Amino acid sequence: NPGCLAGPRPIDPTATIAVDVLAEELSFIQAIAAAAPKSGSERWYVAELKGSMHTWLASDPTGTQAIALDVDALASTAQAQWGVLAMTLHPDFPTDPRGFFYYRTETGDTELSAIPAGEDGVFDLTGQEILLTIDQIPDAETHVGGHLAFSPVDGLLYLSLGDGSDTTFNDADHLALDPTDLRGSMLRLDVDDR
């Protein structure tokens, strides 16, 4: 689209980049997301595709990490790229203790859930609320995931969805081109009843 061009990138020759170590002694396998509350807490979270969601306090980067969520209790890890595909925290976390998770289910479909965390930072599946279920092609190993983030502008939750093509990467159905199909879309969700 020739009318959809970004302007030139601003260059600041005086800009510097700083790096802080957040988890010196901690290790993760296939980490897919990291999150920390915007304010009011020093707790950090890292979600792994197939393992667990870990939490620790930033003031203790060499200390103990806790399992904040067992991925196997939430998502199916039956295929190579199945598991938790995206996660984020509510912008008012921990005042609003919900974490949002996008993952594959045992049927191969994908779900978006809100799960509250307790005072200890551990997410409680008994409070899980499934917000959205997306039907997927059963043997689609890839092209279902996306990104999950709250907009700092409108406060809404955005979820990008893959086109759901099958394992041969054959998009014969052109699902992303179908306006009645959510696959291949960017969704904007109001999770706070605004």
Side-chain angles (χ1 to χ4, degrees):
N1 179 351
C4 186
L5 299 175
R9 175 178 280 175
I11 298 174
D12 181 357
T14 63
T16 60
I17 297 174
V19 177
D20 290 328
V21 176
L22 296 175
E24 191 172 319
E25 300 294 323
L26 307 180
S27 63
F28 309 101
I29 299 169
Q30 290 183 300
I32 55 97
K38 302 253 185 281
S39 63
S41 173
E42 61 172 347
R43 185 169 297 283
W44 274 86
Y45 293 91
V46 169
E48 296 173 327
L49 176 69
K50 293 182 177 290
S52 298
M53 184 167 177
H54 304 271
T55 185
W56 72 97
L57 298 177
S59 62
D60 190 17
T62 61
T64 305
Q65 64 181 347
I67 301 299
L69 180 66
D70 177 8
V71 170
D72 288 333
L74 176 67
S76 172
T77 58
Q79 300 290 338
Q81 293 185 16
W82 287 27
V84 173
L85 305 171
M87 66 80 55
T88 192
L89 302 175
H90 191 279
D92 294 329
F93 192 94
T95 303
D96 184 329
R98 293 179 294 169
F100 294 84
F101 300 86
Y102 180 64
Y103 54 91
R104 288 302 286 264
T105 67
E106 291 294 330
T107 64
D109 293 336
T110 51
E111 287 181 346
L112 172 65
S113 285
I115 304 172
E119 292 288 324
D120 59 358
V122 174
F123 289 93
D124 181 5
L125 282 173
T126 62
Q128 175 182 12
E129 178 185 3
I130 298 171
L131 304 175
L132 181 67
T133 300
I134 307 290
D135 294 331
Q136 299 289 348
I137 298 170
D139 63 347
E141 289 184 28
T142 59
H143 288 237
V144 298
H147 186 68
L148 190 60
F150 280 91
S151 166
V153 177
D154 62 19
L156 298 176
L157 180 63
Y158 285 76
L159 171 63
S160 61
L161 302 174
D163 64 9
S165 60
D166 63 23
T167 56
T168 62
F169 305 105
N170 177 15
D171 187 20
D173 295 326
H174 304 291
L175 300 173
L177 299 176
D178 182 349
T180 65
D181 197 307
L182 293 179
R183 291 172 286 189
S185 299
M186 175 67 78
L187 305 181
R188 182 178 61 197
L189 306 164
D190 181 358
V191 297
D192 292 321
D193 297 324
R194 294 175 188 254

